[in-house]
């Protein structure tokens, strides 16, 4: 029998949902969050499916569990869950989780305005600003990002060839800039992105090996990032990130922004110390910055930061009971 009751705080980061699960945490085994992520995937993925998919969630649903720290110097740990899986790192999820956890009193920083968080991809540092009881913004000093594949030609059935890069920013992204067979983000509809992204991802996954040099459990192309013209004042670039089976990130995407910074740095289009305001498909913004250079295995990468905001939208109690035929969710694809 699989059943549980989960109290949740719902919110969003730049328009994309973040469901912070505040009860029903499974006991996870491991010395770090990467090992605990593997334990969760082996034995408790039914919780993710029940909380993220319909009828309790939806195609864009994303969430997290807050756990005690794994490291002596950390304030807490985060396990990310969403429709696309149990991610190594999630930028918008971190911003939303930290915002909701601080505002609701679930997380108190050892040093006000600063946090150290253990995540499956490693350890991240965070700055945040709080006015009265509200968190104004959260800045993530993310794990090292790097360009894994450059100027690769993919033959996409029905579309033609695309020149793409694959970059890591906590997850692996196929990045597609405007070109002959892709006129740019603002010239495609959301339906176009949803149609072509799974095909592009599948072809990239088949042809391009992506295994993190420091953690082989982090592997495979999981996201597709399409770029194009901006619609918001002050933006340096726009993107739409596809994830899961049919989801488009409503936020500018934190790990996607990190991957974009690494790509631009490797191509000489962005330098250490420079900021890059990244815009989502709906116009919300993150401010990315290349903090320093970094070595990732044999790759020359960067240490990126991402600054954004989140808001809480409500509280709910969700029950999963395997006597329900739809206890573990479904998708209508």
């Amino acid at each position: 029998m699989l059943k549980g009751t989960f109290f949740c705080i719902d919110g969003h980061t730049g328009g994309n949902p973040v469901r912070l699960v505040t009860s029903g945490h499974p006991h996870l085994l491991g010395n770090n969050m990467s090992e605990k992520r593997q334990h969760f995937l082996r034995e408790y993925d039914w919780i993710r499916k029940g909380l993220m998919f319909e009828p309790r969630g939806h195609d864009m649903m994303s969430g997290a569990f807050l756990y005690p720290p794994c490291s002596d110097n950390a304030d807490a740990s985060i396990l990310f869950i969403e429709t696309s899986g149990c991610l190594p790192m999630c930028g918008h999820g971190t911003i939303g989780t930290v915002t909701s956890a601080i505002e609701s009193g679930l997380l108190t920083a050892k040093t006000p305005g600063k946090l150290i968080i253990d995540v499956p991809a490693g350890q991240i540092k965070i700055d945040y600003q709080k006015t009265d009881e509200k968190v104004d913004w959260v800045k993530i000093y993310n794990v090292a990002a790097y360009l894994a594949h450059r100027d690769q030609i993919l033959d996409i059935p029905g579309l033609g060839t695309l020149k793409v890069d694959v970059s890591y920013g906590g997850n692996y992204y196929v990045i597609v800039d405007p070109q002959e067979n892709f006129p740019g983000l603002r010239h495609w509809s959301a339906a176009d992105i949803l149609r072509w992204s799974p095909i592009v991802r599948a072809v990239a996954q088949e042809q391009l090996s992506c295994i993190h040099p420091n953690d082989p459990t982090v592997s495979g192309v999981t996201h597709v990032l399409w770029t194009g013209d901006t619609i918001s004042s002050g933006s340096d670039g726009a993107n739409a990130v596809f994830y899961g089976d049919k989801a488009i990130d409503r936020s500018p995407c934190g790990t996607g922004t990190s991957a974009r910074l690494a790509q631009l740095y490797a191509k000489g289009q962005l330098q250490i110390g420079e900021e890059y305001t990244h815009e989502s498909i709906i116009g919300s913004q993150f401010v990315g910055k290349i903090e320093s250079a970094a070595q990732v295995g044999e790759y020359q990468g960067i240490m990126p930061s991402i600054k954004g905001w989140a808001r809480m939208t409500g509280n709910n109690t969700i029950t999963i009971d395997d006597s329900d035929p739809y206890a573990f969710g479904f998708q209508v694809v």
Side-chain angles (χ1 to χ4, degrees):
M1 181 178 293
L2 299 176
K3 62 194 309 182
T5 299
F6 304 88
F7 295 99
C8 306
I9 301 172
D10 278 357
H12 73 91
T13 303
N16 214 53
V18 180
R19 172 169 285 169
L20 175 58
V21 188
T22 63
S23 71
H25 295 55
H27 177 66
L28 300 179
L29 302 178
N31 295 316
N32 53 53
M33 288 308 294
S34 178
E35 294 178 1
K36 291 183 179 184
R37 171 177 173 255
Q38 296 305 310
H39 183 203
F40 182 91
L41 287 169
R42 287 194 305 270
E43 296 189 26
Y44 299 108
D45 204 41
W46 62 270
I47 298 176
R48 176 188 68 85
K49 294 175 180 177
L51 293 175
M52 297 292 105
F53 289 114
E54 295 182 67
R56 298 163 189 82
H58 51 74
D59 290 320
M60 270 63 64
M61 183 55 74
S62 179
F65 284 93
L66 194 66
Y67 276 92
C70 298
S71 307
D72 292 339
N73 66 330
D75 294 87
S77 300
I78 298 176
L79 179 78
F80 303 104
I81 55 173
E82 62 174 49
T83 52
S84 66
C86 184
L87 298 180
M89 175 58 190
C90 182
H92 99 275
T94 300
I95 293 170
T97 296
V98 166
T99 298
S100 293
I102 290 175
E103 290 186 2
S104 62
L106 293 173
L107 178 60
T108 301
K110 298 175 184 177
T111 302
K114 296 184 178 295
L115 291 166
I116 298 175
I117 305 291
D118 292 320
V119 298
Q123 188 175 86
I124 59 174
K125 293 183 179 180
I126 288 172
D127 292 340
Y128 67 90
Q129 179 176 287
K130 186 178 179 185
T131 302
D132 297 325
E133 299 304 313
K134 296 291 185 181
V135 175
D136 303 313
W137 51 260
V138 175
K139 182 176 182 179
I140 303 167
Y141 297 87
N142 199 12
V143 296
Y146 73 98
L147 185 63
H149 296 282
R150 178 173 180 162
D151 296 335
Q152 298 293 309
I153 304 299
L154 303 181
D155 188 7
I156 309 302
L159 182 63
T161 60
L162 289 177
K163 180 189 288 187
V164 306
D165 297 318
V166 178
S167 191
Y168 175 81
N171 303 287
Y172 284 101
Y173 288 78
V174 179
I175 301 179
V176 190
D177 288 311
Q179 55 194 277
E180 182 179 357
N181 291 321
F182 170 55
L185 176 60
R186 302 304 167 191
H187 300 281
W188 269 18
S189 66
D192 291 326
I193 296 169
L194 293 173
R195 175 187 179 187
W196 294 113
S197 292
I199 302 172
V200 170
R201 182 174 61 188
V203 173
Q205 181 79 311
E206 180 180 350
Q207 296 185 16
L208 304 174
S209 176
C210 294
I211 301 174
H212 196 281
N214 301 327
D215 186 350
T217 68
V218 179
S219 63
V221 174
T222 53
H223 297 62
V224 183
L225 189 156
W226 305 87
T227 77
D229 295 332
T230 62
I231 58 174
S232 296
S233 175
S235 295
D236 296 305
N239 84 105
V241 163
F242 173 86
Y243 64 96
D245 291 322
K246 52 176 181 174
I248 298 175
D249 199 330
R250 274 62 170 157
S251 84
C253 188
T255 57
T257 297
S258 299
R260 180 68 163 157
L261 294 176
Q263 176 213 27
L264 295 175
Y265 173 75
K267 294 196 164 188
Q269 298 174 35
L270 207 60
Q271 305 302 315
I272 294 172
E274 288 191 307
E275 291 187 343
Y276 186 86
T277 300
H278 211 196
E279 170 187 295
S280 74
I281 194 170
I282 65 171
S284 57
Q285 297 171 321
F286 286 165
V287 178
K289 182 179 179 180
I290 299 180
E291 298 289 339
S292 62
Q295 195 71 27
V296 185
E298 64 183 33
Y299 300 94
Q300 180 65 47
I302 62 166
M303 299 301 297
S305 66
I306 315 102
K307 182 179 178 182
W309 56 269
R311 297 289 185 271
M312 291 196 298
T313 57
N315 297 272
N316 60 46
T317 304
I318 299 175
T319 300
I320 300 174
D321 187 330
D322 62 6
S323 65
D324 177 357
Y326 303 122
F328 309 124
F330 60 85
Q331 286 182 291
V332 180
V333 179

